[in-house]
Amino acid sequence: METLDAIVIGAGFAGLRALHRLRSLGKRVRVLEAYDDIGGVWAHNGYPGARCDVESYDYSYSFSPELEQEWRWSERYATQPEILRYIHHVADRFDLRKDILLGARMSKAVYDEAAARWTVSTEDGRQWSARYFVMAVGQLSSTKRPDYPGQSSFRGEILHSGEWPKREIAFAGKRVAIIGTGSSGMQMTPVIARQAKHLTVFQRTANFSVPAANAPVSDDEDRQVKANYRARREQAWNSPTGLGFKPNRQSALEVSPEEREKVYEAAYNRWGFGFALAYYDILLSKPANDTAAEFVRRKIGERVNDPGIREKLTPVGHPFAARRPSVDSGYFEAFNRDNVELADLKDFPIVEFTAQGIRTEEKSRDFDIVIFATGFDAFTGSILKPAIVGRGGLTLKQKWADGPITQLGVGVADFPNMLIVVGPGSPSLLSNVMVSIEEQIDWLADLIKAMDDKGLAEFEALPEAERAWVAHVNERARETLYLTTNSYYNGAEVSGKPRVFMPYSGGVRGYRRFLKQCAEEGYSGFALRAQPLRAGA
Ligand code: NA7
């Protein structure tokens, strides 16, 4: 069994950063990655049209000014292949590969209370012992696959957006179905529509989306960003979501309808996801939200020709951005094509799959390819898949039976020396995750350094601190509109999952203050011990 200082699970953006940062402290680190490639979700989500909906210059590492200067993004919103190339470049540039084990699916991690060390095992029986155990497994990495009657009898191909095969999928001349209209379904629809013979999009819930206004990055723009990169980063770190938009201190309700229209128009045409920040209270007040929702509905209406389809594609029944909206490139316009059909599952649910295709309560349709764009068991799915065993045989699954409990989103009582990156209880999916990843990993590195300096062996969240943090997370969520609808933010995406609000909605700046305060107070809310609590056990 190899002995390490730290073991990191997952070789996505978070895992690579953790490896690089902890290595810089002189630590012996290994990263275990289940897949045969690095890149995390960006390795898996290679479906047509996949791209990030945070601007490339912000959705990138900030820790190395040299890296910032030498990497040239080609588009405002990078495509999946470009992001994957960036990740590979980072791995090569910082010589990360030698400490990454691919094809190593962690199945179990057990805390040795006497030694204050984790023993981590993979499915194929390999084992490592490490003082620190870092879960960097992503929040949207455990795919959700529907199981319709007759599914196995379907003779065509079934694909999932989040487990996209590396081989080329030929859509030309094919009849294709997409089930699901979240970001993945919305991104792939216009691209597949241009290639396939016929495309049917099965929609359960009409989703809000604003246009990406994507464009190539000119040399001039690239130079300008790079000349002011530090200022841009500062702005992102100090913005509520890490997206860099200066918060508008005005309420949507305190301006005239004409002025609001102007502001919305400008934001809609340029800001992408940042449209939700056009006024500070869009996610806090229903009447304020109604103004934004109405504006976006109207815009959707202008993008769709057929009145019947327009009505079905218009989101109703949930506030704008209370479920994750999309940032699309021609989604709604795709339904103006002759070869694209919308099948509303609210009108006619799917009854079964047949050998030839899908039968709904209305009719049967034949398909060559069916794509599940049905999303993920978000936040906790991948964390809870392996057996994580803390003190006294307690598993994380048991501890989180009624929902995730953390101190500051990073530590868990009874699971000492374990850190969760961008998991529940942290800004996570409500933020530009690159900002969140870097701030949490920097915090962990500082903690480990402080422990080294003092010769400490164990850190552990305190139960009372966890209770206070969970209460705070809920209190902040109650100020928002997130709780007024079902979404993966509150566990509604998987039946039987605890219905609790998962991310921290207080913003990355506010969150960083908590992390900073915790460190300045000698890691308040955590016990730091020279000897393991159960040294004699
Ligand atoms: P999402 O956003 O979770 O969307 C999943 C979509 O699939 C959504 O429209 C769901 O409808 C639909 N869905 C899920 N299960 C079913 C079944 N059984 N039948 C029909 N439709 C279903 O996942 P994405 O992959 O699109 O995006 C994930 C994130 O990636 C996104 O939020 C960004 O952060 C980037 P529902 O709304 O539940 O009715």
Side-chain angles (χ1 to χ4, degrees), residues 466-487:
E466 280 183 335
R467 278 194 290 276
W469 182 249
V470 171
H472 176 65
V473 168
N474 286 319
E475 189 189 319
R476 294 310 305 259
R478 278 195 295 273
E479 295 164 4
T480 72
L481 298 173
Y482 289 121
L483 301 185
T484 63
T485 185
N486 291 332
S487 74

Side-chain angles (χ1 to χ4, degrees), residues 140 148 179-184 204-205 323-324 373-376 488:
L140 294 169
Y148 292 107
I179 302 179
T181 54
S183 295
S184 304
R204 192 164 68 178
T205 309
R323 298 160 63 91
R324 177 64 153 76
T374 44
F376 304 86
Y488 67 60

Side-chain angles (χ1 to χ4, degrees), residues 186-385:
M186 284 181 150
Q187 286 185 339
M188 67 175 76
T189 289
V191 182
I192 295 176
R194 288 195 290 274
Q195 299 170 18
K197 182 172 160 204
H198 192 268
L199 172 64
T200 306
V201 178
F202 288 90
Q203 169 186 277
R204 192 164 68 178
T205 309
N207 197 8
F208 282 105
S209 181
V210 296
N214 187 33
V217 175
S218 68
D219 287 343
D220 197 38
E221 206 179 330
D222 186 60
R223 259 193 308 274
Q224 276 182 31
V225 172
K226 286 177 177 168
N228 299 295
Y229 223 145
R230 284 300 91 191
R232 184 176 177 124
R233 296 294 196 190
E234 290 284 342
Q235 197 167 314
W237 296 329
N238 289 308
S239 67
T241 54
L243 290 173
F245 296 104
K246 283 219 172 86
N248 183 347
R249 307 224 173 270
Q250 276 185 312
S251 160
L253 303 175
E254 75 186 44
V255 295
S256 69
E258 296 73 31
E259 181 180 344
R260 201 164 52 217
E261 181 75 12
K262 252 194 257 158
V263 168
Y264 281 153
E265 188 70 35
Y268 182 82
N269 290 320
R270 182 69 179 89
W271 288 12
F273 199 50
F275 178 84
L277 306 168
Y279 291 102
Y280 83 87
D281 53 354
I282 289 177
L283 268 158
L284 302 180
S285 138
K286 180 69 169 51
N289 191 285
D290 286 344
T291 65
E294 234 356 272
F295 180 91
V296 178
R297 283 192 201 106
R298 184 152 38 87
K299 288 289 183 188
I300 291 171
E302 291 166 11
R303 297 170 66 182
V304 184
N305 298 341
D306 181 274
I309 301 175
R310 185 187 304 150
E311 193 189 328
K312 288 189 190 311
L313 285 172
T314 302
V316 286
H318 64 275
F320 172 74
R323 298 160 63 91
R324 177 64 153 76
S326 188
V327 179
D328 72 282
S329 298
Y331 172 70
F332 296 104
E333 291 81 355
F335 292 92
N336 298 331
R337 297 174 63 102
D338 292 338
N339 68 332
V340 179
E341 176 198 15
L342 180 70
D344 195 327
L345 294 172
K346 286 217 164 91
D347 295 343
F348 301 109
I350 291 174
V351 177
E352 61 171 356
F353 274 48
T354 63
Q356 289 76 29
I358 294 175
R359 185 166 73 84
T360 66
E361 285 181 4
E362 179 197 19
K363 63 177 180 181
S364 292
R365 293 177 178 86
D366 293 350
F367 296 111
D368 303 299
I369 301 173
V370 172
I371 302 169
F372 288 143
T374 44
F376 304 86
D377 179 354
F379 293 100
T380 53
S382 292
I383 298 174
L384 295 179
K385 251 185 200 161

